[in-house]
Amino acid sequence: VYRMCVSPDGRWLVAAGDAVAAIDLSTNPPEVHALAEHYAGELRCAAFSADGKRLIVGGWTLRALPKDGVGVAWVWELK
């Protein structure tokens, strides 16, 4: 895990690394949602939009060779 963050309303805890998981803390027990699994690269940053409805994750991905790495940014809408 490279980055963890909590949504502005405290509902979601997100962990990003070689995968991304959003944990819904409003449920008992908390529910884990895998947003990206076994990702070929590293997702090093995560942030929420000000209203807490969107999650933005950025990092890089591998192509055929490590020297061909490409930056990526993904956006998820959490409901």
Side-chain angles (χ1 to χ4, degrees), residues 12 14-15 19-22 32-37 55 57 74 76-78:
W12 297 98
V14 171
V20 178
V32 177
H33 302 270
L35 302 179
E37 296 182 80
L55 169 67
V57 176
W74 287 345
W76 286 279
E77 188 167 344
L78 300 175

Side-chain angles (χ1 to χ4, degrees), residues 13-77:
L13 170 64
V14 171
D18 64 351
V20 178
I23 303 164
D24 187 347
L25 300 174
S26 71
T27 62
N28 189 11
E31 292 180 24
V32 177
H33 302 270
L35 302 179
E37 296 182 80
H38 310 295
Y39 184 70
E42 293 178 0
L43 299 167
R44 291 201 168 249
C45 59
F48 282 91
S49 59
D51 63 8
K53 294 181 181 178
R54 290 184 182 87
L55 169 67
I56 301 93
V57 176
W60 62 272
T61 183
L62 293 176
R63 287 188 178 175
L65 300 170
K67 68 178 180 68
D68 295 330
V70 175
V72 295
W74 287 345
V75 178
W76 286 279
E77 188 167 344

